Amino acid sequence: MLMTMAPLVSSSMHVFFLWILLLSSGNILSDCARVFTIINDCDETIWPAITPGADFGGGGYALRAKESRVHIAPDGWSGRIWGRTKCNFDSNGNGTCLTGRCGSSLQCTASGETPATLAEFTLTTLEFYDVSLVDGFNLPMSVRPVNGKGNCSVAGCVGDLRKNCPSELSVKAGGKVAACRSACDVFNTDVYCCRGVYGNAATCQPTYYSKKFKEACPTSYSYAYDDPTSIFTCSGADYIITFCGAKNRTQCTYHNNRLHCSGSTMGLSKSLTLTLMVVLIVCLSMLL
């Protein structure tokens, strides 16, 4: 489910209107399904991709710099979210991207091409989530659960691995490193791909390249069996997925009739106010 809203009144009026709605909503939002907020904190447009994406804008769309979108994930949703860069789509949604593309479609129905930073979710009774660099890196990305219970730590890679990507793994465009491939993708050997005799946790061990990834992104998967420090569990959480976001940036979502923010409770920005209004309207529409 994807909704957008155009600014109609001043930021202060947005805040006032939002809190009137929240105060009058009673327990309406307490029964709302998982809220996913996708934020583009990059300095350029990216194209988020989601599979399965029926409830996430059909699986893909353009997200301008500093823009965010809100989605309501269905119960039991299990899927992937990643970002695509340097895309060009026509009015029919046909085109291509420099990184992360899923064929020639704006709305993805299958996994994206490597290299791509990948967030993975399984929303069972105990929810699992991680950010994986097993297929390479194309954008900084973090997953922050809000108001959950359990080991609800932030997962992801907020640093830009492209700046220190080994030359043999680099994908270049216009003289700049646009993405960093995985060693498996480049060399296609059993030891790097954790297959064959290396296809289990005992024999598949960190390599020179996976250690470089882990050093830059300690809470991301660096190779296939990098489980202990890379997969997290939580329950009853909403999720904020941020591209190019700073590690300590304050981020907020609305959950169980309360506004929850990471870090300090700062004033609401115009874009955040609009985002929270969308959450309320989406939840209301689900109950009508």
Side-chain angles (χ1 to χ4, degrees), residues 154-213:
V154 178
C157 183
V158 297
D160 195 342
L161 190 56
R162 293 170 294 189
K163 296 178 180 178
N164 298 305
C165 182
S167 59
E168 58 270 33
L169 305 184
S170 297
V171 176
K172 294 185 177 181
K176 297 182 179 180
V177 177
C180 193
R181 299 171 66 187
S182 69
C184 173
D185 195 24
V186 173
F187 303 113
N188 193 28
T189 63
D190 289 352
V191 66
Y192 287 129
C193 297
C194 292
R195 66 190 181 204
V197 297
Y198 297 97
N200 60 75
T203 57
C204 182
Q205 297 295 310
T207 66
Y208 166 79
Y209 295 106
S210 70
K211 290 178 180 178
K212 295 280 285 187
F213 279 32

Short mmCIF file of all heavy atoms in Angstrom, two decimals, residues 154-213:
data_model
loop_
_atom_site.label_atom_id
_atom_site.label_comp_id
_atom_site.label_asym_id
_atom_site.label_seq_id
_atom_site.Cartn_x
_atom_site.Cartn_y
_atom_site.Cartn_z
N VAL A 154 19.72 -2.01 15.90
CA VAL A 154 19.78 -1.48 14.54
C VAL A 154 20.69 -2.36 13.70
O VAL A 154 21.82 -2.67 14.11
CB VAL A 154 20.30 -0.03 14.53
CG1 VAL A 154 20.41 0.49 13.11
CG2 VAL A 154 19.40 0.86 15.36
N ALA A 155 20.22 -2.79 12.55
CA ALA A 155 21.02 -3.58 11.62
C ALA A 155 21.39 -2.73 10.42
O ALA A 155 20.66 -1.80 10.07
CB ALA A 155 20.23 -4.82 11.16
N GLY A 156 22.52 -3.03 9.81
CA GLY A 156 22.83 -2.35 8.57
C GLY A 156 24.22 -1.83 8.44
O GLY A 156 25.11 -2.12 9.24
N CYS A 157 24.39 -1.03 7.41
CA CYS A 157 25.68 -0.47 7.06
C CYS A 157 25.48 1.01 6.75
O CYS A 157 25.00 1.36 5.67
CB CYS A 157 26.26 -1.19 5.84
SG CYS A 157 27.91 -0.63 5.38
N VAL A 158 25.81 1.88 7.72
CA VAL A 158 25.62 3.31 7.51
C VAL A 158 26.82 3.96 6.85
O VAL A 158 26.74 5.08 6.34
CB VAL A 158 25.28 4.03 8.83
CG1 VAL A 158 23.97 3.52 9.40
CG2 VAL A 158 26.40 3.85 9.85
N GLY A 159 27.97 3.28 6.86
CA GLY A 159 29.14 3.79 6.16
C GLY A 159 29.05 3.50 4.67
O GLY A 159 28.27 2.65 4.24
N ASP A 160 29.82 4.22 3.88
CA ASP A 160 29.78 4.04 2.43
C ASP A 160 30.94 3.15 2.00
O ASP A 160 32.07 3.60 1.85
CB ASP A 160 29.86 5.39 1.73
CG ASP A 160 29.46 5.29 0.26
OD1 ASP A 160 29.47 4.17 -0.29
OD2 ASP A 160 29.14 6.34 -0.33
N LEU A 161 30.65 1.88 1.82
CA LEU A 161 31.67 0.89 1.47
C LEU A 161 32.31 1.17 0.12
O LEU A 161 33.41 0.70 -0.16
CB LEU A 161 31.04 -0.50 1.50
CG LEU A 161 31.94 -1.72 1.40
CD1 LEU A 161 32.99 -1.71 2.50
CD2 LEU A 161 31.12 -2.99 1.46
N ARG A 162 31.64 1.93 -0.72
CA ARG A 162 32.18 2.23 -2.04
C ARG A 162 33.49 3.00 -1.96
O ARG A 162 34.35 2.90 -2.84
CB ARG A 162 31.16 3.03 -2.86
CG ARG A 162 29.92 2.25 -3.23
CD ARG A 162 28.84 3.12 -3.83
NE ARG A 162 28.31 4.09 -2.86
CZ ARG A 162 27.25 4.85 -3.07
NH1 ARG A 162 26.60 4.76 -4.23
NH2 ARG A 162 26.82 5.70 -2.15
N LYS A 163 33.67 3.77 -0.89
CA LYS A 163 34.87 4.59 -0.75
C LYS A 163 36.13 3.75 -0.52
O LYS A 163 37.24 4.19 -0.84
CB LYS A 163 34.69 5.58 0.40
CG LYS A 163 33.58 6.59 0.16
CD LYS A 163 33.42 7.52 1.36
CE LYS A 163 32.31 8.54 1.12
NZ LYS A 163 32.11 9.43 2.30
N ASN A 164 35.96 2.55 0.06
CA ASN A 164 37.10 1.69 0.34
C ASN A 164 36.97 0.32 -0.32
O ASN A 164 37.53 -0.66 0.15
CB ASN A 164 37.25 1.52 1.86
CG ASN A 164 37.53 2.83 2.57
OD1 ASN A 164 38.48 3.52 2.24
ND2 ASN A 164 36.70 3.17 3.54
N CYS A 165 36.22 0.26 -1.40
CA CYS A 165 36.02 -1.01 -2.09
C CYS A 165 37.31 -1.44 -2.79
O CYS A 165 37.93 -0.65 -3.51
CB CYS A 165 34.90 -0.86 -3.12
SG CYS A 165 34.52 -2.39 -4.01
N PRO A 166 37.76 -2.69 -2.58
CA PRO A 166 38.93 -3.18 -3.32
C PRO A 166 38.73 -3.02 -4.82
O PRO A 166 37.63 -3.24 -5.33
CB PRO A 166 39.01 -4.65 -2.91
CG PRO A 166 38.33 -4.71 -1.57
CD PRO A 166 37.22 -3.70 -1.65
N SER A 167 39.75 -2.64 -5.51
CA SER A 167 39.62 -2.33 -6.94
C SER A 167 39.08 -3.50 -7.74
O SER A 167 38.32 -3.31 -8.71
CB SER A 167 40.97 -1.88 -7.50
OG SER A 167 41.94 -2.89 -7.31
N GLU A 168 39.45 -4.72 -7.33
CA GLU A 168 39.00 -5.90 -8.08
C GLU A 168 37.51 -6.18 -7.90
O GLU A 168 36.92 -6.96 -8.66
CB GLU A 168 39.82 -7.13 -7.70
CG GLU A 168 39.79 -7.50 -6.24
CD GLU A 168 40.91 -6.83 -5.43
OE1 GLU A 168 41.29 -5.68 -5.76
OE2 GLU A 168 41.38 -7.46 -4.47
N LEU A 169 36.88 -5.54 -6.90
CA LEU A 169 35.44 -5.71 -6.68
C LEU A 169 34.63 -4.51 -7.14
O LEU A 169 33.39 -4.55 -7.14
CB LEU A 169 35.16 -5.94 -5.20
CG LEU A 169 35.89 -7.08 -4.48
CD1 LEU A 169 35.37 -7.20 -3.04
CD2 LEU A 169 35.74 -8.40 -5.22
N SER A 170 35.28 -3.45 -7.56
CA SER A 170 34.61 -2.19 -7.85
C SER A 170 33.81 -2.23 -9.15
O SER A 170 34.24 -2.80 -10.15
CB SER A 170 35.64 -1.05 -7.93
OG SER A 170 36.29 -0.87 -6.69
N VAL A 171 32.64 -1.60 -9.10
CA VAL A 171 31.84 -1.33 -10.29
C VAL A 171 31.89 0.17 -10.52
O VAL A 171 31.44 0.94 -9.67
CB VAL A 171 30.38 -1.79 -10.11
CG1 VAL A 171 29.55 -1.40 -11.33
CG2 VAL A 171 30.31 -3.28 -9.87
N LYS A 172 32.44 0.59 -11.64
CA LYS A 172 32.64 2.02 -11.87
C LYS A 172 31.71 2.55 -12.95
O LYS A 172 31.34 1.85 -13.89
CB LYS A 172 34.10 2.28 -12.26
CG LYS A 172 35.09 2.00 -11.13
CD LYS A 172 36.50 2.40 -11.51
CE LYS A 172 37.46 2.18 -10.34
NZ LYS A 172 38.85 2.59 -10.67
N ALA A 173 31.33 3.81 -12.78
CA ALA A 173 30.51 4.50 -13.76
C ALA A 173 30.88 5.98 -13.71
O ALA A 173 30.90 6.57 -12.62
CB ALA A 173 29.03 4.31 -13.48
N GLY A 174 31.20 6.55 -14.83
CA GLY A 174 31.58 7.95 -14.86
C GLY A 174 32.82 8.25 -14.07
O GLY A 174 32.96 9.35 -13.52
N GLY A 175 33.72 7.29 -13.98
CA GLY A 175 34.96 7.49 -13.25
C GLY A 175 34.86 7.33 -11.75
O GLY A 175 35.85 7.49 -11.04
N LYS A 176 33.67 6.99 -11.25
CA LYS A 176 33.46 6.81 -9.81
C LYS A 176 33.02 5.39 -9.51
O LYS A 176 32.45 4.71 -10.36
CB LYS A 176 32.41 7.80 -9.29
CG LYS A 176 32.81 9.26 -9.43
CD LYS A 176 31.72 10.16 -8.85
CE LYS A 176 32.12 11.63 -8.94
NZ LYS A 176 31.05 12.51 -8.38
N VAL A 177 33.28 4.94 -8.28
CA VAL A 177 32.83 3.62 -7.85
C VAL A 177 31.34 3.71 -7.52
O VAL A 177 30.93 4.41 -6.59
CB VAL A 177 33.63 3.13 -6.63
CG1 VAL A 177 33.08 1.78 -6.16
CG2 VAL A 177 35.11 3.00 -6.97
N ALA A 178 30.52 2.99 -8.29
CA ALA A 178 29.08 3.03 -8.11
C ALA A 178 28.57 1.93 -7.20
O ALA A 178 27.48 2.04 -6.63
CB ALA A 178 28.39 2.92 -9.47
N ALA A 179 29.37 0.86 -7.06
CA ALA A 179 28.97 -0.27 -6.22
C ALA A 179 30.19 -1.14 -5.97
O ALA A 179 31.24 -0.99 -6.62
CB ALA A 179 27.87 -1.08 -6.89
N CYS A 180 30.04 -2.05 -4.99
CA CYS A 180 31.12 -2.95 -4.63
C CYS A 180 30.59 -4.39 -4.70
O CYS A 180 29.66 -4.74 -3.96
CB CYS A 180 31.62 -2.63 -3.22
SG CYS A 180 33.20 -3.41 -2.79
N ARG A 181 31.13 -5.19 -5.59
CA ARG A 181 30.68 -6.56 -5.77
C ARG A 181 31.18 -7.45 -4.63
O ARG A 181 32.12 -7.10 -3.93
CB ARG A 181 31.16 -7.11 -7.11
CG ARG A 181 30.65 -6.33 -8.31
CD ARG A 181 31.34 -6.77 -9.59
NE ARG A 181 31.02 -8.14 -9.97
CZ ARG A 181 31.60 -8.78 -10.98
NH1 ARG A 181 32.57 -8.19 -11.67
NH2 ARG A 181 31.24 -10.01 -11.28
N SER A 182 30.55 -8.59 -4.47
CA SER A 182 31.04 -9.57 -3.51
C SER A 182 32.13 -10.41 -4.16
O SER A 182 32.23 -10.51 -5.40
CB SER A 182 29.90 -10.49 -3.07
OG SER A 182 29.49 -11.34 -4.14
N ALA A 183 32.97 -11.04 -3.32
CA ALA A 183 34.03 -11.90 -3.85
C ALA A 183 33.44 -13.11 -4.57
O ALA A 183 33.99 -13.57 -5.57
CB ALA A 183 34.94 -12.35 -2.72
N CYS A 184 32.31 -13.61 -4.09
CA CYS A 184 31.64 -14.73 -4.77
C CYS A 184 31.24 -14.33 -6.18
O CYS A 184 31.44 -15.07 -7.14
CB CYS A 184 30.42 -15.17 -3.96
SG CYS A 184 29.39 -16.40 -4.79
N ASP A 185 30.68 -13.13 -6.32
CA ASP A 185 30.22 -12.65 -7.61
C ASP A 185 31.38 -12.49 -8.59
O ASP A 185 31.26 -12.77 -9.78
CB ASP A 185 29.50 -11.31 -7.41
CG ASP A 185 28.68 -10.90 -8.61
OD1 ASP A 185 28.29 -11.77 -9.40
OD2 ASP A 185 28.43 -9.69 -8.76
N VAL A 186 32.53 -12.05 -8.07
CA VAL A 186 33.68 -11.78 -8.94
C VAL A 186 34.45 -13.05 -9.27
O VAL A 186 34.75 -13.33 -10.44
CB VAL A 186 34.61 -10.75 -8.28
CG1 VAL A 186 35.91 -10.60 -9.08
CG2 VAL A 186 33.92 -9.40 -8.15
N PHE A 187 34.76 -13.86 -8.26
CA PHE A 187 35.67 -15.00 -8.45
C PHE A 187 34.93 -16.32 -8.65
O PHE A 187 35.51 -17.27 -9.20
CB PHE A 187 36.63 -15.10 -7.27
CG PHE A 187 37.44 -13.86 -7.05
CD1 PHE A 187 37.25 -13.08 -5.92
CD2 PHE A 187 38.39 -13.44 -7.98
CE1 PHE A 187 37.99 -11.92 -5.71
CE2 PHE A 187 39.14 -12.29 -7.79
CZ PHE A 187 38.94 -11.53 -6.64
N ASN A 188 33.68 -16.41 -8.16
CA ASN A 188 32.82 -17.58 -8.37
C ASN A 188 33.50 -18.89 -7.97
O ASN A 188 33.49 -19.88 -8.71
CB ASN A 188 32.39 -17.66 -9.85
CG ASN A 188 31.25 -18.65 -10.05
OD1 ASN A 188 30.45 -18.88 -9.14
ND2 ASN A 188 31.17 -19.23 -11.23
N THR A 189 34.08 -18.90 -6.78
CA THR A 189 34.72 -20.12 -6.27
C THR A 189 33.95 -20.61 -5.05
O THR A 189 33.24 -19.85 -4.38
CB THR A 189 36.17 -19.85 -5.86
OG1 THR A 189 36.20 -18.90 -4.79
CG2 THR A 189 36.98 -19.32 -7.04
N ASP A 190 34.09 -21.90 -4.75
CA ASP A 190 33.37 -22.49 -3.63
C ASP A 190 33.72 -21.82 -2.31
O ASP A 190 32.84 -21.60 -1.47
CB ASP A 190 33.67 -23.99 -3.54
CG ASP A 190 33.03 -24.78 -4.67
OD1 ASP A 190 32.24 -24.19 -5.43
OD2 ASP A 190 33.32 -25.99 -4.79
N VAL A 191 35.00 -21.48 -2.11
CA VAL A 191 35.41 -20.91 -0.83
C VAL A 191 34.79 -19.54 -0.61
O VAL A 191 34.40 -19.19 0.52
CB VAL A 191 36.95 -20.84 -0.74
CG1 VAL A 191 37.53 -19.85 -1.76
CG2 VAL A 191 37.38 -20.46 0.68
N TYR A 192 34.64 -18.73 -1.66
CA TYR A 192 34.03 -17.42 -1.53
C TYR A 192 32.50 -17.49 -1.53
O TYR A 192 31.84 -16.63 -0.94
CB TYR A 192 34.48 -16.49 -2.64
CG TYR A 192 35.90 -16.00 -2.50
CD1 TYR A 192 36.81 -16.10 -3.56
CD2 TYR A 192 36.36 -15.43 -1.32
CE1 TYR A 192 38.12 -15.64 -3.44
CE2 TYR A 192 37.66 -14.98 -1.18
CZ TYR A 192 38.53 -15.09 -2.25
OH TYR A 192 39.82 -14.64 -2.12
N CYS A 193 31.94 -18.52 -2.17
CA CYS A 193 30.49 -18.63 -2.30
C CYS A 193 29.87 -19.55 -1.26
O CYS A 193 28.64 -19.75 -1.27
CB CYS A 193 30.12 -19.12 -3.70
SG CYS A 193 30.60 -17.98 -5.03
N CYS A 194 30.68 -20.12 -0.37
CA CYS A 194 30.18 -21.02 0.68
C CYS A 194 29.34 -22.15 0.09
O CYS A 194 28.19 -22.37 0.50
CB CYS A 194 29.39 -20.25 1.73
SG CYS A 194 30.39 -19.13 2.74
N ARG A 195 29.90 -22.86 -0.87
CA ARG A 195 29.20 -23.98 -1.48
C ARG A 195 30.15 -25.17 -1.59
O ARG A 195 31.33 -25.07 -1.27
CB ARG A 195 28.69 -23.57 -2.87
CG ARG A 195 29.77 -23.30 -3.87
CD ARG A 195 29.22 -22.67 -5.14
NE ARG A 195 30.31 -22.45 -6.09
CZ ARG A 195 30.29 -21.54 -7.06
NH1 ARG A 195 29.22 -20.76 -7.20
NH2 ARG A 195 31.32 -21.41 -7.89
N GLY A 196 29.61 -26.30 -2.03
CA GLY A 196 30.44 -27.50 -2.10
C GLY A 196 30.87 -27.92 -0.70
O GLY A 196 30.07 -27.92 0.24
N VAL A 197 32.13 -28.23 -0.54
CA VAL A 197 32.65 -28.63 0.77
C VAL A 197 32.64 -27.45 1.75
O VAL A 197 32.79 -27.64 2.95
CB VAL A 197 34.08 -29.21 0.66
CG1 VAL A 197 34.07 -30.47 -0.18
CG2 VAL A 197 35.04 -28.18 0.09
N TYR A 198 32.47 -26.24 1.24
CA TYR A 198 32.41 -25.05 2.09
C TYR A 198 30.97 -24.63 2.38
O TYR A 198 30.73 -23.52 2.87
CB TYR A 198 33.16 -23.89 1.43
CG TYR A 198 34.63 -24.15 1.23
CD1 TYR A 198 35.10 -24.61 0.01
CD2 TYR A 198 35.53 -23.97 2.27
CE1 TYR A 198 36.45 -24.86 -0.19
CE2 TYR A 198 36.89 -24.22 2.08
CZ TYR A 198 37.33 -24.67 0.86
OH TYR A 198 38.67 -24.92 0.68
N GLY A 199 30.03 -25.50 2.11
CA GLY A 199 28.62 -25.15 2.23
C GLY A 199 28.01 -25.37 3.60
O GLY A 199 26.84 -25.77 3.71
N ASN A 200 28.75 -25.14 4.65
CA ASN A 200 28.20 -25.23 6.00
C ASN A 200 28.97 -24.27 6.91
O ASN A 200 30.05 -23.78 6.56
CB ASN A 200 28.24 -26.65 6.53
CG ASN A 200 29.65 -27.21 6.59
OD1 ASN A 200 30.42 -26.85 7.47
ND2 ASN A 200 29.99 -28.11 5.66
N ALA A 201 28.42 -24.04 8.10
CA ALA A 201 28.99 -23.05 9.01
C ALA A 201 30.37 -23.44 9.51
O ALA A 201 31.18 -22.57 9.87
CB ALA A 201 28.05 -22.83 10.18
N ALA A 202 30.66 -24.74 9.55
CA ALA A 202 31.95 -25.18 10.08
C ALA A 202 33.09 -24.92 9.10
O ALA A 202 34.20 -24.56 9.50
CB ALA A 202 31.89 -26.67 10.43
N THR A 203 32.82 -25.08 7.81
CA THR A 203 33.88 -24.95 6.81
C THR A 203 33.89 -23.60 6.11
O THR A 203 34.93 -23.18 5.58
CB THR A 203 33.76 -26.06 5.74
OG1 THR A 203 32.46 -25.99 5.15
CG2 THR A 203 33.97 -27.43 6.36
N CYS A 204 32.76 -22.92 6.08
CA CYS A 204 32.71 -21.59 5.45
C CYS A 204 33.12 -20.56 6.48
O CYS A 204 32.38 -20.27 7.42
CB CYS A 204 31.31 -21.29 4.92
SG CYS A 204 31.19 -19.70 4.09
N GLN A 205 34.29 -20.01 6.33
CA GLN A 205 34.86 -19.08 7.27
C GLN A 205 35.08 -17.71 6.63
O GLN A 205 35.08 -17.58 5.40
CB GLN A 205 36.19 -19.62 7.80
CG GLN A 205 36.05 -20.92 8.58
CD GLN A 205 35.26 -20.73 9.86
OE1 GLN A 205 35.52 -19.82 10.64
NE2 GLN A 205 34.26 -21.59 10.08
N PRO A 206 35.28 -16.67 7.44
CA PRO A 206 35.53 -15.33 6.87
C PRO A 206 36.76 -15.33 5.97
O PRO A 206 37.74 -16.02 6.24
CB PRO A 206 35.75 -14.47 8.11
CG PRO A 206 35.07 -15.19 9.21
CD PRO A 206 35.22 -16.65 8.90
N THR A 207 36.69 -14.56 4.90
CA THR A 207 37.80 -14.42 3.97
C THR A 207 38.35 -12.99 4.06
O THR A 207 37.80 -12.14 4.76
CB THR A 207 37.36 -14.69 2.53
OG1 THR A 207 36.43 -13.66 2.13
CG2 THR A 207 36.68 -16.05 2.42
N TYR A 208 39.40 -12.74 3.32
CA TYR A 208 39.98 -11.40 3.28
C TYR A 208 38.93 -10.37 2.91
O TYR A 208 38.83 -9.29 3.52
CB TYR A 208 41.13 -11.36 2.28
CG TYR A 208 41.58 -9.96 1.91
CD1 TYR A 208 42.41 -9.23 2.76
CD2 TYR A 208 41.17 -9.38 0.71
CE1 TYR A 208 42.81 -7.94 2.43
CE2 TYR A 208 41.57 -8.09 0.36
CZ TYR A 208 42.39 -7.38 1.23
OH TYR A 208 42.77 -6.10 0.89
N TYR A 209 38.09 -10.69 1.92
CA TYR A 209 37.11 -9.73 1.43
C TYR A 209 35.93 -9.58 2.39
O TYR A 209 35.46 -8.46 2.64
CB TYR A 209 36.61 -10.13 0.04
CG TYR A 209 37.70 -10.08 -1.00
CD1 TYR A 209 38.27 -11.24 -1.51
CD2 TYR A 209 38.16 -8.85 -1.48
CE1 TYR A 209 39.28 -11.19 -2.46
CE2 TYR A 209 39.17 -8.78 -2.43
CZ TYR A 209 39.73 -9.96 -2.91
OH TYR A 209 40.74 -9.88 -3.85
N SER A 210 35.45 -10.68 2.95
CA SER A 210 34.34 -10.57 3.90
C SER A 210 34.77 -9.82 5.15
O SER A 210 33.97 -9.09 5.75
CB SER A 210 33.79 -11.95 4.26
OG SER A 210 34.70 -12.68 5.06
N LYS A 211 36.03 -9.97 5.54
CA LYS A 211 36.53 -9.21 6.70
C LYS A 211 36.57 -7.72 6.40
O LYS A 211 36.30 -6.90 7.29
CB LYS A 211 37.93 -9.71 7.09
CG LYS A 211 37.93 -11.11 7.70
CD LYS A 211 39.35 -11.56 8.03
CE LYS A 211 39.37 -12.95 8.64
NZ LYS A 211 40.74 -13.43 8.91
N LYS A 212 36.88 -7.35 5.17
CA LYS A 212 36.85 -5.94 4.79
C LYS A 212 35.42 -5.39 4.89
O LYS A 212 35.20 -4.28 5.37
CB LYS A 212 37.36 -5.78 3.35
CG LYS A 212 38.83 -6.15 3.15
CD LYS A 212 39.76 -5.03 3.58
CE LYS A 212 39.77 -3.89 2.60
NZ LYS A 212 40.80 -2.87 2.95
N PHE A 213 34.45 -6.18 4.44
CA PHE A 213 33.05 -5.77 4.52
C PHE A 213 32.62 -5.66 5.98
O PHE A 213 31.94 -4.71 6.37
CB PHE A 213 32.16 -6.79 3.80
CG PHE A 213 32.12 -6.63 2.31
CD1 PHE A 213 33.21 -6.15 1.60
CD2 PHE A 213 30.99 -6.96 1.59
CE1 PHE A 213 33.18 -6.00 0.22
CE2 PHE A 213 30.92 -6.82 0.21
CZ PHE A 213 32.03 -6.34 -0.47
#
